[in-house]
Amino acid sequence: MSVDPMTYEAQFFGFTPQTCMLRVYTAFQDYLFEMMLVVEGVMLKKLDGIPDCKISPSKIRKCTEKFLLFMKEHFDKLFSKMEEVLLQLVLNIPKNVLLPEDKVQEQYPYSEEEFQALQDELQQLQQQCRAEAVLEQELLAELEEQKVVKAELEKILQCFDGLENICREHGAGNFKESFALLAQSSKKLQDVLKEVEEKSKKMNQHEQLM
């Protein structure tokens, strides 16, 4: 079999010429084997009709195998010549022939270096696309977080607006000033509570000493 990959022929035919020749060889070989079995069967039937025949079936089988080997050797020689002719003259695309789908290469020829440069540029663009896709996902996730935070802030603002309205209804004046006074009063209450707790501790310690 030919060792030439014949990739251009495979592009045109849809199969490699070597594969075609292998299938033809296998088909001929199978047909040869089947034919020898038929011949052997006919010979056995003929011998059954001859009385006192000294030729045994095993001897016929040996003769059949020997003849099959002889036929196979000659068939291989003939097939190798046929394969050479078919691969060169029938299943071969001449070097000066360009397939229709490759006409664009004739119009826009390029060297291996230019093709490699295009491949490198394509790889870089693919990497950039993947990086931008990852960045887009991160930005979308951040946008979702901002939406959640915005919703919470709107709830807080609504709460403050409600408190301010309540203060106005009860004549408390400006909500910010009221809130500041409330914070100061809360601080004073905390200080008084802390002072009471300290005095209570001192009194308990004094009672225990008594």
Side-chain angles (χ1 to χ4, degrees):
M1 297 292 287
S2 173
V3 295
D4 184 2
M6 302 182 74
T7 54
Y8 208 49
E9 286 77 7
Q11 179 182 342
F12 177 73
F13 293 112
F15 57 84
T16 60
Q18 292 90 341
T19 302
C20 177
M21 297 308 303
L22 178 60
R23 291 179 178 176
V24 172
Y25 176 81
T26 304
F28 271 102
Q29 193 176 52
D30 292 342
Y31 180 76
L32 179 62
F33 291 159
E34 292 176 0
M35 182 184 67
M36 294 309 301
L37 290 175
V38 171
V39 172
E40 181 182 292
V42 172
M43 292 176 64
L44 290 173
K45 288 181 180 180
K46 293 290 184 181
L47 292 175
D48 286 340
I50 300 176
D52 299 329
C53 180
K54 297 181 180 181
I55 302 176
S56 63
S58 61
K59 190 173 183 179
I60 292 177
R61 171 54 62 93
K62 289 181 181 179
C63 293
T64 303
E65 292 176 351
K66 186 176 181 181
F67 184 68
L68 178 61
L69 181 61
F70 171 80
M71 291 290 292
K72 187 176 182 303
E73 290 176 354
H74 284 270
F75 170 73
D76 289 344
K77 292 178 182 179
L78 292 173
F79 187 83
S80 62
K81 294 180 181 179
M82 182 179 69
E83 177 190 17
E84 184 178 355
V85 172
L86 290 176
L87 290 179
Q88 289 181 0
L89 302 179
V90 179
L91 300 175
N92 180 52
I93 298 178
K95 300 299 182 182
N96 61 334
V97 174
L98 193 65
L99 296 179
E101 57 267 29
D102 295 331
K103 288 290 185 181
V104 66
Q105 296 182 12
E106 187 178 25
Q107 298 176 1
Y108 307 100
Y110 54 89
S111 62
E112 294 184 3
E113 291 77 11
E114 292 174 338
F115 177 75
Q116 185 61 43
L118 289 174
Q119 290 289 97
D120 296 339
E121 184 179 358
L122 178 62
Q123 186 176 5
Q124 292 178 359
L125 290 174
Q126 289 176 344
Q127 292 177 353
Q128 291 178 2
C129 289
R130 287 194 290 266
E132 290 179 358
V134 172
L135 180 59
E136 182 181 2
Q137 294 298 323
E138 293 177 353
L139 291 175
L140 289 174
E142 184 177 354
L143 182 61
E144 292 298 325
E145 293 179 358
Q146 290 179 356
K147 289 181 179 179
V148 174
V149 173
K150 182 180 178 181
E152 294 297 327
L153 289 174
E154 289 177 352
K155 291 180 180 179
I156 294 174
L157 290 175
Q158 291 176 357
C159 181
F160 277 111
D161 290 340
L163 291 174
E164 187 172 1
N165 291 332
I166 293 173
C167 291
R168 288 176 179 175
E169 291 176 358
H170 292 80
N174 187 275
F175 172 72
K176 294 181 179 179
E177 295 178 358
S178 301
F179 186 79
L181 292 174
L182 182 62
Q184 292 177 1
S185 301
S186 176
K187 182 66 171 57
K188 290 180 180 180
L189 287 174
Q190 289 178 356
D191 294 339
V192 171
L193 180 61
K194 185 176 180 181
E195 184 178 353
V196 170
E197 289 178 350
E198 290 178 354
K199 290 181 178 181
S200 177
K201 288 180 180 179
K202 290 180 180 180
M203 291 180 64
N204 290 333
Q205 291 177 356
H206 180 71
E207 291 178 356
Q208 289 178 358
L209 290 175
M210 294 296 292

